[in-house]
Amino acid sequence: MGNSALKAHLETAQKTGVFQLTGKGLTEFPEDLQKLTSNLRTIDLSNNKIELLPPLIGKFSFLKSLVLNNNKLTALPEELCKLKKLETLHLNGNHLRQLPAAFGQLSALKTLSLSGNQLRTVPTQLCGLRHLDVVDLSKNQIQNVPDTVGELQAIELNLNQNQISQISGQISHCPRLKVLRLEENCLELSMLPQSILSDSQISLLAVEGNLFEIKKLRELEGYDKYMERFTATKKKFA
């Protein structure tokens, strides 16, 4: 992409607060963006070939939305964690194995999408995020859901298409968790904590495509309680 095209994009971004440059084969984060650190509210660089996010990302202190789907990121810089106004972070389809240690400092974060990466566990850093609504960790390589998950504040947790065979019963302590998606994993029925049904806030549990027949779920103790929540929620949205 020529400099003149980039310049035009930068001028537009200065006025709108939105910089969107998708599917252009970019191999790096445009350095010129640092001229707009105080203007930009949204950056979308999806469908490029960016391998590294530079430390200067931490300077975009007014950024609310960062979208980098389908790039080649293998890691994220600690500086990303300085973005105190960031509400939406989409990183689907990259090669991420973990999140920065300070990720829990992204205190405004509401939506986090990490589908199609190489995570092996549910990152514990997510438990410090108080405003998190939706977390998408589908299509990773997660094998178990640890005890720390009980502190997660999210309303929806998507763990579809992983390799999960174990889930901590602590998940039923999540104070706001209403939707839990566990489709196409490696769960035996005996490994599904009964407390999810009998003693949680979860009103939509999606478990199709595991190592048991769905109708067997109905035989579990606590299923009636779950159905009460499920039906009440359905009525609310009907």
Side-chain angles (χ1 to χ4, degrees), residues 86-90 103 106-113 126-137 151-159 174-181:
L86 194 67
E87 294 178 6
T88 305
L89 180 57
H90 288 289
F103 198 82
L106 290 171
S107 48
L109 202 61
K110 290 180 181 172
T111 304
L112 175 63
S113 244
L126 302 186
C127 297
L129 298 168
R130 296 279 162 239
H131 299 287
L132 211 49
D133 289 335
V134 179
V135 182
D136 185 352
L137 300 174
E151 293 167 40
L152 190 69
Q153 300 285 326
I155 295 169
E156 175 169 345
L157 176 58
N158 186 342
L159 292 165
C174 291
R176 299 166 71 217
L177 192 62
K178 298 273 193 282
V179 178
L180 178 58
R181 301 185 187 279

Side-chain angles (χ1 to χ4, degrees), residues 29-46:
F29 186 88
E31 291 278 315
D32 285 348
L33 280 185
Q34 57 189 324
K35 297 171 189 163
L36 300 177
T37 47
S38 56
N39 301 66
L40 290 183
R41 304 292 185 269
T42 299
I43 296 176
D44 183 354
L45 295 167
S46 296

Side-chain angles (χ1 to χ4, degrees), residues 71-137:
N71 276 281
K72 296 185 181 250
L73 298 169
T74 53
L76 300 170
E78 288 288 341
E79 285 79 5
L80 176 72
C81 309
K82 293 179 180 168
L83 301 178
K84 296 287 185 238
K85 292 196 188 314
L86 194 67
E87 294 178 6
T88 305
L89 180 57
H90 288 289
L91 295 161
N92 301 328
N94 280 281
H95 308 292
L96 300 169
R97 292 172 184 271
Q98 57 192 40
L99 298 179
F103 198 82
Q105 292 173 14
L106 290 171
S107 48
L109 202 61
K110 290 180 181 172
T111 304
L112 175 63
S113 244
L114 287 161
S115 181
N117 279 280
Q118 294 168 18
L119 299 171
R120 293 181 175 273
T121 181
V122 177
T124 51
Q125 296 95 313
L126 302 186
C127 297
L129 298 168
R130 296 279 162 239
H131 299 287
L132 211 49
D133 289 335
V134 179
V135 182
D136 185 352
L137 300 174

Side-chain angles (χ1 to χ4, degrees), residues 13-230:
Q14 194 164 4
K15 295 182 190 120
T16 61
V18 177
F19 185 82
Q20 187 175 29
L21 200 56
T22 59
K24 296 289 185 207
L26 293 180
T27 52
E28 48 190 48
F29 186 88
E31 291 278 315
D32 285 348
L33 280 185
Q34 57 189 324
K35 297 171 189 163
L36 300 177
T37 47
S38 56
N39 301 66
L40 290 183
R41 304 292 185 269
T42 299
I43 296 176
D44 183 354
L45 295 167
S46 296
N47 303 312
N48 282 295
K49 295 172 181 169
I50 298 168
E51 292 180 21
L52 278 177
L53 203 51
L56 71 88
I57 191 68
K59 295 183 177 162
F60 293 88
S61 42
F62 298 99
L63 201 62
K64 283 192 164 183
S65 174
L66 179 59
V67 185
L68 289 159
N69 294 333
N70 305 318
N71 276 281
K72 296 185 181 250
L73 298 169
T74 53
L76 300 170
E78 288 288 341
E79 285 79 5
L80 176 72
C81 309
K82 293 179 180 168
L83 301 178
K84 296 287 185 238
K85 292 196 188 314
L86 194 67
E87 294 178 6
T88 305
L89 180 57
H90 288 289
L91 295 161
N92 301 328
N94 280 281
H95 308 292
L96 300 169
R97 292 172 184 271
Q98 57 192 40
L99 298 179
F103 198 82
Q105 292 173 14
L106 290 171
S107 48
L109 202 61
K110 290 180 181 172
T111 304
L112 175 63
S113 244
L114 287 161
S115 181
N117 279 280
Q118 294 168 18
L119 299 171
R120 293 181 175 273
T121 181
V122 177
T124 51
Q125 296 95 313
L126 302 186
C127 297
L129 298 168
R130 296 279 162 239
H131 299 287
L132 211 49
D133 289 335
V134 179
V135 182
D136 185 352
L137 300 174
S138 61
K139 299 181 184 171
N140 277 279
Q141 297 160 16
I142 299 169
Q143 294 174 0
N144 68 352
V145 180
D147 288 349
T148 45
V149 77
E151 293 167 40
L152 190 69
Q153 300 285 326
I155 295 169
E156 175 169 345
L157 176 58
N158 186 342
L159 292 165
N160 288 347
Q161 295 181 346
N162 277 283
Q163 299 153 20
I164 297 167
S165 58
Q166 285 185 308
I167 300 180
S168 166
Q170 294 293 322
I171 199 163
S172 47
H173 294 169
C174 291
R176 299 166 71 217
L177 192 62
K178 298 273 193 282
V179 178
L180 178 58
R181 301 185 187 279
L182 287 163
E183 294 179 18
E184 295 177 51
N185 276 284
C186 310
L187 283 167
E188 303 269 0
L189 189 58
S190 59
M191 285 297 171
L192 192 69
Q194 189 198 307
S195 55
I196 291 178
L197 297 171
S198 61
D199 192 26
S200 77
Q201 303 287 322
I202 296 166
S203 55
L204 178 63
L205 175 65
V207 286
E208 285 79 5
N210 279 281
L211 307 179
F212 59 87
E213 292 177 58
I214 286 296
K215 62 173 186 257
K216 294 273 188 221
L217 194 63
R218 297 178 200 140
E219 296 164 16
L220 288 186
E221 204 178 322
Y223 186 77
D224 296 349
K225 277 189 166 178
Y226 162 68
M227 280 315 288
E228 280 171 24
R229 295 193 303 272
F230 177 81

